[in-house]
Amino acid sequence: MNKLIVSIAIILMVLSFPACQQLKPERPEAETSLPPLQNELSRINFPVSYEVKRLEDLINKKLKGTVHEDLSYDNNGGDNLKLVVKRVGRIQLTAKNNVLKYNLPLNVWLQKKVLGKGKDGYNENKGMDFTVNLFLESSVALGRSWKLYTETKLKKVVWEKDPQLRISFIKVNIRGIVDNFLQKNSGLLTKQIDQAVGNGVNVKKSIQKVWVDIQKPILINKKVHKVWLKADPKEIGIGNIKTKGETLVIPLSISAFFTTMYGNSPKWKANKKLPSLKLNSIPPAGFNMVVLAKIPHSEINLLLASQLKGKELLIEDNELIINRVEVFGGGKKLFVRVSIKGDVSGDIYFQGTPTFDAKETAFFVDSFEFEVKTQEAVLSMADWLMHDTLKKQIKEALYISLEEEVKMLPELIYNGIEKGKSGKKFSLVVDKMDATVKDIIVTEGDIQVLLFANGKANLELEDL
């Protein structure tokens, strides 16, 4: 009997304590999902530079010794002339106004047969040597075969002194004859120069490495869970080759789709096949890039958990502990479910619109408020929760600054290539980077963002 009385007393004492209030608002329904965002091509500049000095060395290596030899009086329509042309000094090459200019020193040996009393009615002189400088110019382009293509033409012939032959007691100035011969046969020499350049400079190998390296995922954030930028290149274009000082600048650009990936080591496979080269393609000025970021709800939940899980709040003498935070939604609306325990336990739902602040280069949730049914439940049970404390904590956790990531985009991309197999050195100068967002949607599994990043970025691939 006494035990029964004690048990009843304990039960009455427990029931006399205030019970923990339970919030159980109805889970809001997400809006109908919109069609997935369509990515857009980005065009990234990869200007390749090639030192004119290296081209000069190449041509000097290929054009050695005798350039032309004619030891017959009877060929060339019976011109009665023997002619041997040899290179006697270093070919000098300069670049100016997008044109290559050559100074080619030659030794010309010639022997002329003229009418006289000698054998077969001709007199033959002993032959003489003369020094001449040929000045040539080349336009330069990149062909579809990825080889450097030049079209060289003779512009001027400068003699050290006029070529004169002594025949018997007479000196005959044959400058006009030799000038005419050099003009008519300059193609024999210019062809050798063009072949030396075409066979010696092939851009394909270097571009192939850049093409593969740009496809390797680049780590852009590792604060909570690693975020990677992945390129899917589609096209390669080239503009008109220009000269800059004593350097040839080949303006290449790669068009690619950029997306985001998540995980410690995302799987990827390089597409090694180069597309056909698009000629006469004008590269974009500066750095212009489009990124389709698909941010899984699970990744956002990890970020929120790292900041909010277990966080204790005191609101008007009421204690709360945030137990769990997760997002979901559809269309343009994002919902946030916050599970709490303490003086009140249960679920609270917030809603808002994912937005991008271009001035601050940051994502945030605009119009962030209690969901309608949650608000009704809170007002009827624990109106003190309407205080901004909890809402402010959640909203601040959903504020994500991208200023540093956007600013570093060009450097991250080009450094990723420089550290890859290409092994080339980039000279990069980045001015200011800006970012805007074309669209943001919420799907069943992620938040999709189409981000535009642009700025002034001057880049050169220092060595081909």
Side-chain angles (χ1 to χ4, degrees):
M1 184 66 179
N2 289 335
K3 289 183 179 180
L4 178 61
I5 294 172
V6 171
S7 297
I8 293 172
I10 292 173
I11 292 171
L12 290 174
M13 288 176 63
V14 171
L15 291 175
S16 67
F17 289 115
C20 175
Q21 296 174 295
Q22 293 286 325
L23 274 173
K24 293 184 179 179
E26 184 180 337
R27 178 185 172 95
E29 292 186 6
E31 295 179 2
T32 303
S33 293
L34 297 171
L37 294 182
Q38 298 300 308
N39 205 349
E40 298 183 18
L41 277 175
S42 301
R43 290 183 67 195
I44 306 298
N45 289 334
F46 290 92
V48 175
S49 64
Y50 192 91
E51 295 298 326
V52 172
K53 179 67 167 57
R54 292 182 60 199
L55 200 57
E56 179 182 290
D57 292 341
L58 175 67
I59 293 171
N60 277 281
K61 184 177 179 180
K62 295 293 183 181
L63 271 69
K64 291 182 177 180
T66 301
V67 176
H68 176 74
E69 186 176 71
D70 172 15
L71 297 177
S72 172
Y73 288 130
D74 300 322
N75 60 4
N76 301 316
D79 61 358
N80 293 323
L81 183 68
K82 292 181 180 181
L83 184 70
V84 177
V85 181
K86 295 181 179 180
R87 202 194 93 194
V88 292
R90 182 174 177 81
I91 301 171
Q92 296 179 337
L93 179 60
T94 58
K96 188 176 181 180
N97 298 327
N98 306 328
V99 174
L100 295 176
K101 298 176 180 289
Y102 308 81
N103 180 359
L104 178 55
L106 298 174
N107 173 265
V108 178
W109 175 88
L110 52 85
Q111 191 174 50
K112 181 69 175 172
K113 188 167 70 171
V114 296
L115 292 172
K117 296 180 179 180
K119 184 179 178 181
D120 300 325
Y122 285 92
N123 288 336
E124 182 181 70
N125 78 312
K126 294 180 179 179
M128 297 188 68
D129 291 284
F130 304 95
T131 301
V132 63
N133 283 77
L134 301 188
F135 291 88
L136 308 100
E137 291 184 0
S138 292
S139 58
V140 59
L142 192 65
R144 294 189 185 278
S145 61
W146 301 92
K147 292 182 178 181
L148 210 58
Y149 170 77
T150 55
E151 188 174 353
T152 307
K153 295 182 179 180
L154 176 62
K155 303 300 290 185
K156 185 169 64 173
V157 179
V158 177
W159 293 88
E160 189 175 280
K161 61 179 180 179
D162 284 353
Q164 293 183 341
L165 285 179
R166 180 179 292 276
I167 302 174
S168 297
F169 299 102
I170 302 173
K171 288 185 178 180
V172 179
N173 190 326
I174 59 170
R175 174 174 175 173
I177 296 173
V178 181
D179 277 355
N180 185 56
F181 176 85
L182 291 173
Q183 290 287 349
K184 283 185 176 181
N185 293 276
S186 61
L188 298 171
L189 181 60
T190 58
K191 184 179 179 180
Q192 292 182 55
I193 293 175
D194 295 336
Q195 286 179 342
V197 174
N199 294 331
V201 183
N202 192 323
V203 181
K204 186 174 183 178
K205 186 177 179 180
S206 294
I207 301 306
Q208 176 81 59
K209 291 176 181 177
V210 173
W211 177 263
V212 172
D213 287 342
I214 197 176
Q215 296 178 58
K216 184 177 180 180
I218 300 168
L219 185 62
I220 58 175
N221 191 304
K222 54 182 178 182
K223 292 177 181 176
V224 178
H225 205 186
K226 290 182 178 179
V227 184
W228 307 78
L229 187 68
K230 176 70 174 68
D232 180 15
K234 298 296 181 183
E235 299 174 349
I236 296 182
I238 181 173
N240 295 325
I241 296 177
K242 297 182 179 181
T243 57
K244 183 179 180 182
E246 292 302 309
T247 303
L248 289 179
V249 180
I250 306 172
L252 288 167
S253 64
I254 292 181
S255 297
F257 290 114
F258 285 90
T259 54
T260 52
M261 302 176 72
Y262 298 84
N264 289 328
S265 183
K267 294 181 179 180
W268 66 287
K269 184 178 180 181
N271 172 19
K272 296 182 179 181
K273 185 179 179 180
L274 284 176
S276 298
L277 185 62
K278 291 184 67 175
L279 302 178
N280 302 317
S281 174
I282 301 175
F287 181 89
N288 299 277
M289 184 176 176
V290 183
V291 179
L292 176 57
K294 294 183 178 182
I295 312 165
H297 294 328
S298 58
E299 293 294 328
I300 300 174
N301 293 340
L302 280 173
L303 175 65
L304 294 175
S306 69
Q307 298 182 52
L308 299 173
K309 187 175 181 179
K311 194 174 188 66
E312 298 179 359
L313 300 176
L314 183 64
I315 306 174
E316 295 183 358
D317 296 326
N318 296 283
E319 294 182 355
L320 286 182
I321 298 175
I322 298 175
N323 193 41
R324 184 180 180 186
V325 184
E326 63 177 13
V327 299
F328 63 97
K332 295 290 184 179
K333 189 174 289 186
L334 181 73
F335 292 101
V336 183
R337 174 191 173 192
V338 183
S339 297
I340 58 174
K341 61 183 180 180
D343 290 342
V344 172
S345 64
D347 294 332
I348 295 176
Y349 294 95
F350 293 94
Q351 66 181 26
T353 305
T355 309
F356 184 76
D357 185 337
K359 184 178 180 180
E360 299 296 330
T361 320
F363 285 104
F364 68 100
V365 180
D366 197 16
S367 303
F368 191 68
E369 300 292 345
F370 286 95
E371 188 272 333
V372 175
K373 293 180 181 178
T374 294
Q375 183 171 318
E376 293 173 355
V378 168
L379 286 173
S380 64
M381 186 177 295
D383 59 358
W384 50 269
L385 275 174
M386 296 298 294
H387 194 279
D388 281 346
T389 303
L390 178 60
K391 184 177 74 172
K392 183 180 178 182
Q393 290 286 330
I394 308 301
K395 186 174 182 179
E396 287 179 354
L398 288 167
Y399 184 92
I400 304 172
S401 175
L402 293 179
E403 183 177 9
E404 194 64 28
E405 285 80 2
V406 169
K407 180 181 177 182
M408 295 293 289
L409 270 177
E411 186 174 344
L412 288 169
I413 291 172
Y414 296 130
N415 281 353
I417 295 171
E418 186 174 306
K419 292 176 182 177
K421 294 180 181 178
S422 63
K424 302 302 174 185
K425 298 295 182 182
F426 287 103
S427 171
L428 176 66
V429 178
V430 180
D431 194 354
K432 187 184 178 203
M433 290 297 298
D434 295 312
T436 57
V437 164
K438 183 175 182 179
D439 202 358
I440 303 177
I441 66 168
V442 182
T443 73
E444 185 178 348
D446 58 27
I447 297 177
Q448 298 185 8
V449 182
L450 198 59
L451 175 74
F452 287 67
N454 57 81
K456 295 179 180 179
N458 297 318
L459 171 83
E460 287 187 10
L461 180 58
E462 293 181 349
D463 186 25
L464 185 64

